[in-house]
């Protein structure tokens, strides 16, 4: 059996050392593979990578533009908000001023109406007082004449004399009362 192995060993190549024909075929196949990859695959991969780089850079640029635009819109919004707040404050101040003016007008009208009513009451009172004074004078004059005629015992039928007596009595009565007609 050793002979068989010794005879077989001479014919079998060493597994560690490759056969030179395999090295040549492997090198040619590797060169063809590198040529095909370099000619067709790597340019396509390069264009694909370039397209992805451009897409990513374009996306970054779009994001930066969108961020810049959002910042501008935020500034515009803040400005509009500040203007709206200023306008609201102005409108509130105007409303308060209008309300104060309306209150003052209403108070002035109320005072005028109150004064008008008070004056009308005073005028009515003065007219009524004057009428009452005239009625009382007439009645007082009649009573005074009746009383005087009873006391004197003679009739004071003469109209002119009666009127003169009443006027004289009332004048004396007016002088006897203090100013204002109240005792």
């Amino acid at each position: 059996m050793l002979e068989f192995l010794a005879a077989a060993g001479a014919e079998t190549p060493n597994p560690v050392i490759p056969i030179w024909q395999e090295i040549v075929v492997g090198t040619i196949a590797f060169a063809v593979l590198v040529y095909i990859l370099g000619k067709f695959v790597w340019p396509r991969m390069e264009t694909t990578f370039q397209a992805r780089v451009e897409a990513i850079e374009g996306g970054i640029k779009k994001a930066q533009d969108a961020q810049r635009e959002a910042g501008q819109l935020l500034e515009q919004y803040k400005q509009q908000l500040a203007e709206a707040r200023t306008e609201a404050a102005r409108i509130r101040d105007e409303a308060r001023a209008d309300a104060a003016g309306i209150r003052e007008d209403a108070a002035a009208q109320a005072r005028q109406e109150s004064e008008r009513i008070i004056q009308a009451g005073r005028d009515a009172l003065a007219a009524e007082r004057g009428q009452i004074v005239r009625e009382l004078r007439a009645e007082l004059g009649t009573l005074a004449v009746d009383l005087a005629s009873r006391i004197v015992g003679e009739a004071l039928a003469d109209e002119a004399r009666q009127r003169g007596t009443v006027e004289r009595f009332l004048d004396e009565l007016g002088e006897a009362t203090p100013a204002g007609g109240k005792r």
Side-chain angles (χ1 to χ4, degrees):
M1 187 139 165
L2 285 177
E3 289 176 20
F4 176 71
L5 286 176
E11 293 177 16
T12 50
N14 187 358
V16 177
I17 300 173
I19 303 175
W20 68 271
Q21 294 95 351
E22 285 182 2
I23 291 176
V24 170
V25 170
T27 304
I28 291 172
F30 182 71
V32 169
L33 181 65
V34 168
Y35 176 75
I36 290 173
L37 286 175
K39 184 79 172 170
F40 300 107
V41 176
W42 286 336
R44 282 194 174 182
M45 285 177 62
E46 187 64 33
T47 57
T48 303
F49 288 143
Q50 187 63 33
R52 289 188 86 186
V53 166
E54 289 174 1
I56 290 171
E57 287 177 354
I60 290 172
K61 186 176 184 211
K62 284 181 184 177
Q64 289 172 342
D65 290 343
Q67 188 175 9
R68 193 175 316 111
E69 185 178 336
Q72 290 173 348
L73 289 175
L74 179 63
E75 287 302 316
Q76 287 177 352
Y77 169 74
K78 286 180 180 179
Q79 183 180 7
Q80 288 174 347
L81 183 62
E83 289 173 1
R85 285 181 177 159
T86 303
E87 182 68 17
R90 184 187 61 78
I91 290 171
R92 269 194 315 270
D93 292 342
E94 286 179 3
R96 286 182 184 142
D98 290 346
I102 290 171
R103 272 191 300 250
E104 289 174 6
D105 290 346
Q109 287 178 352
R111 278 192 299 272
Q112 288 175 352
E113 185 65 18
S114 170
E115 290 172 3
R116 187 191 63 78
I117 290 171
I118 289 172
Q119 188 59 41
R122 286 180 181 156
D123 292 345
L125 255 161
E128 194 171 321
R129 183 173 180 253
Q131 182 181 354
I132 289 172
V133 166
R134 283 189 300 274
E135 289 175 2
L136 283 176
R137 281 185 169 218
E139 190 159 332
L140 190 60
T142 307
L143 287 174
V145 168
D146 286 343
L147 185 60
S149 51
R150 284 187 188 163
I151 290 175
V152 172
E154 65 181 71
L156 299 172
D158 183 10
E159 182 75 26
R161 202 166 18 150
Q162 187 179 6
R163 203 176 286 149
T165 305
V166 169
E167 290 297 321
R168 194 174 58 244
F169 175 74
L170 288 177
D171 287 340
E172 288 174 6
L173 184 64
E175 291 173 6
T177 59
K182 294 181 186 172
R183 285 193 169 198

